[in-house]
Amino acid sequence: MLYGIAAVTASFAAAASSFLLAALLAALLRAPALRLALVDRRRQRPVPLLGGVAVVLVTGLVVWAGEWTGVVPLGSGVGRLLVAGTAVGALGLAADVWRLRRRWLVAGTAVAAACVVPYGETGPVAGTLAVVWIALVAAAFRGLDHADGVAGTVGIVTAFGVGACATAELRGGLAVLLSALAAALAGFLLHNRYPARIALGACGSLFAGFLLAGAAVFTRVGHDPRAGAGVLFALTAPVVADAVLVLLSRRLAGRPLRRGGPDHLAHRLRRLGLAPQGAVVVIGVVSFCGVLAGVLVHVGWAGRATLLWVAGVVAVGMVALLRVRVYEPRRAGSETRGVHGTRGAAGTDTRARGPRTVSRVGQPRESRDASGAPVRGPSLPPVRVAARASIFPVRQAQSGENEQVSAPLRVRNG
């Protein structure tokens, strides 16, 4: 009882400090990021990428302060997890500055995960699978930083869920670490909600994803591995669903897997008519439901069938979202060919009729002799001329006029 009260008090103090410091530091780092051009383009507006630095610094400072003062001893395992997470965050900062390739980020994250997994308790096979899972979840969490407020919301909900599992396992240091992370993300979210003034970047997203995945592995040590896989999936359901959805959609569309596009969860929800805030709310609710199911199964208050329901709902949702069109069709060329019967930009048939040639804008082109004088051919019947005028309801070019347009006009949406 006393241990639980002390852990809750320490977690609350760490959360309050992290929230205030992260909100202040994120606001201060916005101007340097703009000055250094460390920005991301979102809907034609620059968003600074140093928000993750604030999350990393505040989380590490608060947790290590608790360790140094002796209020909350972390333990060797939690300390290694925080050090490895900080190294992954530094690797992400290097990616934000120098645009490192993704394979280097995944490889570096896997090396950091290999240094923290408790192989003595998990075994070599399960430990290796845990390393792969941590690296993939951290990389997938980076993909959530594509829209305003998504990564912060999912990170907060997941941190509270994994923290509840850690508290149930009497891991006070791990619970304090997750509380500090959740509060730091909440302070950052004050500046990341739509329209975002700052973003996590690779630094903050890799750091948060690594800590959440690693902490989840620590909480499942000593439990049934088969049920553990289901609990880990439920705790990170939106992260895994977003990554799998992106990979499947690009594969089915024949696009390169590393080529970005508006094909993430938030993008598809926006296509369905939701506002940016509404998309964040929907993803947050999905994350909360998955985390709740994972926590209930972990503490033994729900059966394993609950995990099957979570997997089924996520699968149905992914199949439905795959039907949402997110890749724009390739625009037609600027020149239509009448002899092949192609269709113009407006969808009209430009198939050639008789021996006449068709210009680029679909108008009859007159033939000229060697001197340049127009050669008059037999006139078209009145009915056909009227039909052509109805198909192309624009002013017909006169014989003395020069062509001013050589390609279909493009109207910019103001």
Side-chain angles (χ1 to χ4, degrees):
M1 182 67 180
L2 294 178
Y3 175 83
I5 295 176
V8 171
T9 303
S11 300
F12 179 79
S17 303
S18 299
F19 176 81
L20 296 176
L21 291 176
L24 177 61
L25 189 57
L28 294 177
L29 289 176
R30 184 175 183 273
L34 291 174
R35 191 176 300 112
L36 297 174
L38 297 177
V39 296
D40 183 23
R41 291 285 178 179
R42 294 184 183 179
R43 302 181 66 85
Q44 303 303 321
R45 56 185 174 88
V47 181
L49 292 178
L50 290 184
V53 176
V55 174
V56 174
L57 291 179
V58 169
T59 304
L61 178 63
V62 171
V63 173
W64 284 119
E67 170 70 15
W68 292 335
T69 57
V71 177
V72 183
L74 298 179
S76 60
V78 180
R80 288 199 310 271
L81 179 63
L82 181 56
V83 171
T86 305
V88 171
L91 180 63
L93 180 60
D96 291 332
V97 176
W98 293 298
R99 305 295 181 183
L100 299 180
R101 295 183 180 272
R102 295 182 182 180
R103 60 172 175 263
W104 296 112
L105 297 179
V106 175
T109 306
V111 171
C115 298
V116 299
V117 171
Y119 298 98
E121 302 177 12
T122 60
V125 177
T128 304
L129 294 177
V131 169
V132 175
W133 187 80
I134 292 174
L136 294 180
V137 168
F141 196 89
R142 183 191 176 191
L144 290 181
D145 195 34
H146 63 274
D148 301 343
V150 175
T153 302
V154 174
I156 293 171
V157 175
T158 307
F160 277 118
V162 180
C165 296
T167 303
E169 296 295 323
L170 301 181
R171 293 179 175 267
L174 193 59
V176 171
L177 172 61
L178 294 170
S179 299
L181 175 63
L185 290 174
F188 156 79
L189 196 58
L190 294 179
H191 308 281
N192 186 246
R193 67 181 187 274
Y194 181 84
R197 294 171 52 84
I198 196 168
L200 280 176
C203 175
S205 57
L206 288 177
F207 172 78
F210 183 86
L211 287 188
L212 293 174
V217 169
F218 272 91
T219 58
R220 291 302 302 177
V221 170
H223 293 268
D224 184 10
R226 292 174 298 179
V231 171
L232 295 179
F233 168 76
L235 292 174
T236 58
V239 182
V240 177
D242 181 76
V244 175
L245 186 64
V246 169
L247 294 178
L248 281 179
S249 61
R250 293 177 184 177
R251 185 69 175 178
L252 293 176
R255 293 168 60 94
L257 298 180
R258 292 182 295 179
R259 181 182 177 183
D263 47 10
H264 291 268
L265 282 174
H267 296 144
R268 296 174 186 273
L269 294 176
R270 291 290 306 278
R271 291 273 183 169
L272 294 177
L274 291 178
Q277 299 90 333
V280 174
V281 170
V282 171
I283 296 175
V285 170
V286 172
S287 179
F288 174 78
C289 294
V291 166
L292 180 61
V295 173
L296 292 178
V297 174
H298 176 79
V299 298
W301 293 354
R304 298 181 183 179
T306 306
L307 302 175
L308 298 178
W309 280 100
V310 173
V313 172
V314 171
V316 172
M318 290 175 56
V319 171
L321 290 177
L322 275 176
R323 301 180 62 87
V324 179
R325 293 186 59 184
V326 292
Y327 304 121
E328 294 294 339
R330 183 175 298 178
R331 294 183 178 180
S334 59
E335 181 173 324
T336 58
R337 304 187 180 188
V339 296
H340 294 291
T342 57
R343 303 189 69 84
T348 56
D349 192 2
T350 59
R351 185 179 293 109
R353 299 182 181 183
R356 295 182 304 143
T357 59
V358 179
S359 66
R360 293 181 179 179
V361 293
Q363 302 296 336
R365 182 181 297 168
E366 296 179 343
S367 301
R368 296 179 183 272
D369 57 11
S371 63
V375 177
R376 300 290 182 178
S379 60
L380 294 174
V383 177
R384 295 186 64 184
V385 173
R388 296 288 290 176
S390 63
I391 296 176
F392 298 93
V394 296
R395 186 171 62 89
Q396 304 296 321
Q398 302 297 328
S399 60
E401 293 180 351
N402 296 327
E403 292 182 358
Q404 301 294 329
V405 180
S406 61
L409 293 176
R410 292 184 179 179
V411 180
R412 173 172 290 186
N413 185 5

